[in-house]
Amino acid sequence: MTDLTELTAVQLVEGYREGAFSPVEATRAVLDRAERIQPEVNAFVRLTGEEALEQARRSEERWRRGEPCGLLDGVPVTVKDILLTRGQPTLRGSRAVSPDGPWDEDAPSVARLREHGAVFVGKTTTPEYGWKGVTDSPLSGVTRNPHDPSRTAGGSSGGAAAAVALGAGPLALGTDGGGSVRIPASFCGVFGLKPTYGRVPLYPASAFGTLAHVGPMTRDAADAALMLDVIGTPDARDWSALGPAPGSFTEALPGGVRGLRVAYSPSLGGQVAVRPAVAGAVRRAVERLAGLGAYVTEADPDFTDPVDAFHTLWFSGAARVVQHLRTGQRELLDPGLREIVGAGARYSALEYLAAVDVRMELGRRMGRFHEEYDLLVTPTLPITAFEAGVEVPRGAGYRRWTGWTPFTYPFNLTQQPACTVPAGVDGDGLPVGVQIVAARHRDDLVLRAAHALYVAGTSVG
């Protein structure tokens, strides 16, 4: 008998169309799985079983009439508890946020999913206000890795990644301000895409400004393309959103990588120490791209680590996030968040603008780089998942989470599309991710290359 929790969204929709199973059956299976995994991995802030089953029943009736209302009718989906979801509190991992309503509005990505008939099974965990690259918070505790619960799931979309990895919904909405889709997707062995900034509208506007992206977290690239076709449409509430996509991301998937110019940068020019098991898995994925017809050259983008500029922008955003809180409420915050809020509040306007200058120059350099190369391929992270409940690996010497994420946050600064594809496991059985980056607005190339790896069987999940 088919295990419905193991199917992709594409497979579920096809099964509904053929009458092989129903949205109610799929939703029940996903809810059962979510309830079973929750005590061990803590992926959810809340599950919405009865509401989800009612949505599934309405979807089942539409399929029975042969009138599905959209591309994802009846597909279970989870939403990171950063994004507004009508009828449910959005607490952002914080005890300082009141659960009182009315909670009467959807974020744009949630609204698009609802219009296409998706079934909302729950809200997933996040660190407080999504501030760091692991998922633990004073509100919901520690989220753990599905491959080893003693390890972190990564963050800040850690609950979303764990849910997808364990079959608690094939589709998840995450957010990515410095790697927060790609980090947990890599650690948990699933696919994650940070689209070009503005491709997925965001409302309310993030205090982290144009670093913050919304993106799909899925079982494979085909599901992500389908999801992006749904959520990547304009919304009047986001004045910085892009116009309509030039075409369907799903229809672009079969293009493959033959003839694409790929730059492979194993360590950003020696700037990053990458664990041998990670480096080996990424190199094998790159070799597979070459075997599929890509022109691969080992080449590094011309930039030095922009971490200081990123900190200026990120910490200032954090200070803005909590600016409205009273003294008593601030005492409820994650101690690490309080630290970066203090640092962010001390930056001057001139320091902030100097960081913007660094960002602009980085964008210029990457724009020129992509005149020569269609894609840049790197490790997603230099390490695999470490101990749960800490911000940095013990003994690593890093002060903040950015110390072990040097491959992700640069491409939030440049707003480029970037994804992570599972590329294998290390000696402890922990997933390794390979990152694929393209020029702004070339989300189709990122998805095409990732899909080619899935079809070729390079990725594992």
Side-chain angles (χ1 to χ4, degrees):
M1 183 177 177
T2 301
D3 183 349
L4 299 181
T5 66
E6 298 301 317
L7 298 184
T8 66
V10 171
Q11 291 168 330
L12 286 175
V13 170
E14 185 61 27
Y16 300 158
R17 182 176 293 112
E18 295 176 350
F21 42 78
S22 75
V24 171
E25 292 172 314
T27 299
R28 282 190 176 130
V30 164
L31 287 169
D32 287 347
R33 178 66 61 86
E35 289 171 356
R36 288 201 301 273
I37 70 169
Q38 179 62 10
E40 185 168 34
V41 301
N42 188 32
F44 291 92
V45 177
R46 71 189 65 82
L47 290 166
T48 53
E50 286 307 313
E51 296 171 33
L53 286 169
E54 179 55 34
Q55 292 167 7
R57 284 189 283 268
R58 292 197 296 268
S59 172
E60 186 170 308
E61 179 57 31
R62 291 192 294 269
W63 279 106
R64 187 178 294 116
R65 297 195 309 265
E67 299 174 351
C69 70
L71 297 177
L72 296 173
D73 204 343
V75 176
V77 63
T78 64
V79 178
K80 183 180 180 180
D81 199 35
I82 289 287
L83 297 166
L84 292 179
T85 306
R86 192 175 71 227
Q88 299 179 34
T90 299
L91 302 181
R92 301 174 175 88
S94 181
R95 292 185 293 168
V97 178
S98 171
D100 296 339
W103 306 114
D104 56 0
E105 193 169 20
D106 283 331
S109 52
V110 177
R112 300 296 87 75
L113 289 171
R114 197 183 299 277
E115 291 164 4
H116 279 258
V119 173
F120 296 98
V121 297
K123 300 296 287 287
T124 54
T125 52
T126 176
E128 197 160 22
Y129 297 104
W131 79 271
K132 59 183 175 180
V134 294
T135 300
D136 58 73
S137 76
L139 179 69
S140 56
V142 178
T143 297
R144 300 179 179 275
N145 194 292
H147 296 266
D148 179 350
S150 72
R151 311 289 184 111
T152 179
S156 62
S157 306
V164 171
L166 290 170
L171 303 180
L173 274 177
T175 63
D176 190 316
S180 290
V181 160
R182 291 159 289 154
I183 294 165
S186 180
F187 275 179
C188 293
V190 300
F191 182 79
L193 172 68
K194 179 189 77 67
T196 299
Y197 178 80
R199 172 49 54 212
V200 181
L202 180 61
Y203 171 85
S206 172
F208 296 107
T210 58
L211 295 172
H213 302 59
V214 178
M217 304 176 72
T218 60
R219 291 186 180 280
D220 60 22
D223 270 12
L226 177 62
M227 195 173 178
L228 191 58
D229 280 337
V230 170
I231 65 176
T233 56
D235 189 289
R237 294 172 292 175
D238 183 355
W239 62 267
S240 65
L242 299 176
S248 165
F249 295 105
T250 298
E251 292 177 1
L253 284 178
V257 297
R258 183 168 300 279
L260 293 183
R261 303 161 300 167
V262 176
Y264 166 45
S265 178
S267 62
L268 294 181
Q271 296 182 77
V272 184
V274 180
R275 286 186 185 171
V278 172
V282 172
R283 181 173 290 276
R284 287 189 291 275
V286 172
E287 290 170 351
R288 180 58 61 90
L289 288 173
L292 294 171
Y295 298 116
V296 177
T297 304
E298 191 163 319
D300 302 305
D302 178 25
F303 66 78
T304 55
D305 187 355
V307 67
D308 291 337
F310 180 80
H311 282 168
T312 299
L313 300 172
W314 191 252
F315 296 175
S316 297
R320 178 61 176 162
V321 164
V322 304
Q323 188 176 30
H324 68 285
L325 298 181
R326 301 184 301 275
T327 300
Q329 291 176 304
R330 289 181 178 234
E331 293 173 355
L332 300 174
L333 297 176
D334 181 331
L337 176 58
R338 287 203 303 269
E339 286 183 21
I340 71 164
V341 163
R346 291 191 291 271
Y347 290 123
S348 69
L350 287 177
E351 288 172 313
Y352 189 94
L353 291 173
V356 172
D357 287 342
V358 171
R359 182 180 192 180
M360 296 299 104
E361 174 60 16
L362 179 61
R364 183 193 69 81
R365 289 173 181 265
M366 288 308 302
R368 296 299 299 270
F369 183 83
H370 284 290
E371 289 182 328
E372 186 171 357
Y373 298 103
D374 299 301
L375 297 172
L376 168 67
V377 177
T378 74
T380 306
L381 298 164
I383 60 175
T384 51
F386 52 88
E387 178 186 355
V390 295
E391 183 184 348
V392 300
R394 295 188 189 278
Y398 305 130
R399 180 73 184 101
R400 298 261 76 104
W401 61 272
T402 44
W404 51 271
T405 61
F407 292 109
T408 59
Y409 57 77
F411 305 110
N412 292 81
L413 290 166
T414 62
Q415 303 186 341
Q416 293 171 247
C419 77
T420 182
V421 183
V425 295
D426 69 3
D428 295 322
L430 296 169
V432 172
V434 56
Q435 179 175 238
I436 303 172
V437 185
R440 291 176 71 240
H441 311 297
R442 293 313 308 266
D443 306 73
D444 60 318
L445 289 184
V446 169
L447 288 164
R448 275 172 50 188
H451 183 62
L453 288 176
Y454 276 99
V455 171
T458 297
S459 61
V460 298

